[in-house]
């Protein structure tokens, strides 16, 4: 496929300031393993959140050489600035004028670090939206559909899961049987009305920084004994999950949600360099949740990101009962609980 940002080599960059707020997302079918340059080994599917988001403002200017500064929550963050600089340098073939950009970034998150919420998804999609907005400004573009597609393309190159945060509700990424599916950018997915409003209560079991990054975890899939079987399973789960979401079958969705969480963590346990990110309280919470579901029949299911913290997913109509359950039976296992839900996607602040 051709790059979505080609034909822009001869632009002369100028001054521009923009700001975007972009949410995180939680994967129902997981992206775990890559091919080529930032392309997924299997299609994935996620729900965009509402409250857990990053707000980023960027001042672009014309300089003699690329210079990136980044202020995170009021403090300069050279490590994060270096990551953004490296990312921008990966775009230099399509955007050679990147070498002459001044990029002054201010960013903040609504959620705490280490809360089991993908800050790379919200943070890098917020930055990519600012960059896409700058390109749109420089090219006088006004095609909104293409704008979001380009923003998703640019987000993916920064962090795979970030490309799914560009749209609200459910989003898919990766080639599949769906129309307009692509490995290069994400696409929104419409679902049954009964499954539009879902809650995500995040049980923060442990907020310490994990000792194996997602990038390293993806890397281990290259030499993983079970890689091909996992990609086949993920494709099957993807098709089943899309069908269940369209039919409003929360039980079928929940079954896949939990199978995907276990598979993701099984991949880590069986990697060439095995590891686990789970904690004893992660397993204790899963057992309590399963007992509760067996006793009450309520449709509340868990999933896990690449970390020890559980995301409890359930239809909004069961909120009161689930919150009482969490308060009585799970809160003592947690450092903190974050209550989120489906969201509408990114917003331009100015
Ligand atoms: C996902 N995760 O689908 C899966 C499930 C975590 C567990 O995508 O290397 O930060 O930046 O493309 O997107 C986390 O990996 O990896 C991830 P990069 P990313 O949400």
């Amino acid at each position: 496929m051709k790059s979505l940002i080609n034909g822009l080599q001869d632009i002369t960059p100028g001054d521009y300031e923009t700001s975007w707020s972009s949410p995180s997302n939680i994967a129902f079918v997981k992206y775990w393993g890559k091919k080529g340059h930032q392309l997924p080994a299997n299609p994935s599917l996620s729900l965009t959140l509402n409250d857990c988001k990053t707000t980023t403002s960027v001042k672009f200017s014309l300089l003699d050489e690329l210079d990136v500064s980044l202020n995170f929550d009021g403090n300069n963050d050279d490590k994060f600035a270096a990551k953004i600089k490296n990312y921008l340098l990966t775009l230099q073939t399509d955007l050679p004028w990147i070498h002459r950009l001044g990029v002054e970034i201010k960013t903040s998150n609504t959620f705490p670090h280490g809360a089991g919420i993908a800050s790379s998804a919200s943070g890098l999609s917020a930055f990519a939206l600012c960059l896409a907005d700058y390109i749109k400004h420089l090219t006088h573009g006004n095609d909104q559909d293409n704008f979001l597609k380009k923003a998703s393309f640019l987000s993916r190159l920064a962090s795979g899961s970030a490309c799914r945060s560009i749209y609200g509700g459910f989003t898919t990424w990766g080639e599949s049987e769906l129309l307009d599916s692509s490995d290069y950018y994400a696409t929104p997915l419409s679902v049954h009305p009964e499954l539009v409003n879902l809650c995500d209560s995040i049980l923060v079991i442990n907020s310490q920084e994990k000792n194996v990054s997602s990038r390293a975890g993806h890397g281990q899939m290259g030499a993983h004994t079970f890689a091909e079987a996992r990609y086949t399973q993920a494709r099957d789960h993807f098709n089943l999950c899309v069908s269940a979401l369209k039919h409003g079958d929360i039980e079928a969705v929940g079954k896949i949600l939990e199978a995907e969480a276990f598979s993701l963590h099984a991949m880590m346990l069986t990697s060439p360099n095995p590891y686990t990110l789970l904690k004893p309280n992660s397993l204790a919470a899963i057992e309590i949740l399963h007992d509760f579901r067996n006793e009450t029949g309520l449709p509340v299911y868990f999933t896990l990101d690449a970390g020890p913290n559980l995301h409890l997913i359930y239809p909004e109509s069961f909120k009161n009962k689930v919150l009482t359950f969490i308060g009585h039976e799970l809160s003592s296992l947690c450092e903190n609980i974050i209550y989120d839900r489906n969201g509408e996607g990114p917003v331009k602040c100015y």
Side-chain angles (χ1 to χ4, degrees):
M1 181 194 148
K2 276 208 298 194
S3 165
L4 284 191
I5 49 164
N6 61 357
L8 302 171
Q9 277 93 344
D10 298 329
I11 288 174
T12 307
D15 293 353
Y16 186 63
E17 189 169 352
T18 180
S19 176
W20 282 81
S21 168
S22 188
S24 188
N25 67 73
I26 177 68
F28 280 36
V29 178
K30 314 291 183 183
Y31 150 59
W32 201 247
K34 309 185 193 200
K35 60 187 184 191
H37 179 48
Q38 280 294 100
L39 299 171
N42 62 263
S44 60
L45 190 164
S46 60
L47 179 69
T48 295
L49 299 179
N50 190 57
D51 298 326
C52 293
K53 55 192 177 195
T54 300
T55 300
T56 296
S57 60
V58 186
K59 264 189 203 170
F60 294 98
S61 57
L62 183 59
L63 294 180
D64 292 335
E65 60 179 41
L66 176 60
D67 183 64
V68 180
S69 68
L70 191 145
N71 185 291
F72 178 57
D73 277 346
N75 300 308
N76 287 338
D77 189 329
D78 294 339
K79 220 170 122 188
F80 201 178
K83 268 191 189 170
I84 296 282
K85 188 171 180 179
N86 285 339
Y87 159 63
L88 289 170
L89 288 172
T90 66
L91 307 175
Q92 62 187 306
T93 308
D94 283 323
L95 313 177
W97 41 268
I98 283 279
H99 283 288
R100 298 163 63 204
L101 273 192
V103 183
E104 202 182 318
I105 306 165
K106 282 194 183 132
T107 188
S108 60
N109 290 342
T110 56
F111 51 93
H113 190 65
I117 298 152
S119 57
S120 64
S122 57
L124 291 166
S125 59
F127 178 74
L129 280 155
C130 292
L131 180 61
D133 200 354
Y134 181 49
I135 292 171
K136 182 177 160 184
H137 166 76
L138 295 174
T139 56
H140 312 289
N142 57 8
D143 178 349
Q144 186 61 11
D145 280 354
N146 255 330
F147 172 76
L148 294 177
K149 209 173 257 190
K150 276 183 193 161
S152 183
F153 179 91
L154 286 166
S155 298
R156 185 202 101 235
L157 292 170
S159 180
S161 54
C163 79
R164 298 185 309 235
S165 281
I166 296 300
Y167 300 96
F170 281 97
T171 306
T172 73
W173 167 43
E175 264 171 40
S176 71
E177 290 160 19
L178 295 175
L179 210 64
D180 199 30
S181 67
S182 172
D183 283 344
Y184 292 83
Y185 50 82
T187 314
L189 177 77
S190 60
V191 303
H192 193 280
E194 279 178 25
L195 297 188
V196 167
N197 291 317
L198 294 181
C199 295
D200 178 4
S201 298
I202 303 153
L203 309 183
V204 183
I205 303 260
N206 187 305
S207 61
Q208 275 175 3
E209 192 156 352
K210 57 191 177 196
N211 47 20
V212 183
S213 70
S214 284
R215 201 146 278 207
H218 281 289
Q220 291 218 54
M221 288 302 284
H224 200 298
T225 311
F226 302 139
E228 285 313 314
R230 163 60 197 155
Y231 301 147
T232 302
Q233 180 197 49
R235 279 190 280 272
D236 290 345
H237 280 168
F238 180 88
N239 291 332
L240 287 168
C241 196
V242 169
S243 168
L245 284 167
K246 291 215 171 271
H247 286 99
D249 186 346
I250 184 69
E251 273 184 35
V253 172
K255 206 170 154 188
I256 294 159
L257 200 59
E258 297 196 349
E260 278 290 299
F262 280 133
S263 260
L264 170 69
H265 285 264
M267 287 301 108
M268 297 174 197
L269 285 162
T270 51
S271 299
N273 292 310
Y275 66 105
T276 187
L277 300 176
L278 296 175
K279 300 287 178 194
N281 277 355
S282 314
L283 297 173
I286 291 170
E287 213 171 292
I288 292 169
L289 172 70
H290 283 172
D291 287 346
F292 174 74
R293 203 167 64 225
N294 286 338
E295 282 161 22
T296 63
L298 291 182
V300 48
Y301 303 90
F302 82 88
T303 190
L304 295 155
D305 212 333
N309 306 317
L310 268 68
H311 290 241
L312 298 194
I313 307 286
Y314 50 94
E316 196 186 19
S317 47
F318 297 97
K319 191 171 171 181
N320 289 343
K321 284 181 179 159
V322 175
L323 294 192
T324 305
F325 159 62
I326 292 173
H328 285 169
E329 298 196 44
L330 293 173
S331 56
S332 60
L333 298 175
C334 308
E335 288 180 9
N336 181 23
I337 301 170
I338 296 169
Y339 298 97
D340 209 338
R341 53 168 300 140
N342 59 296
E344 305 272 303
V347 174
K348 182 171 161 72
C349 308
Y350 60 83

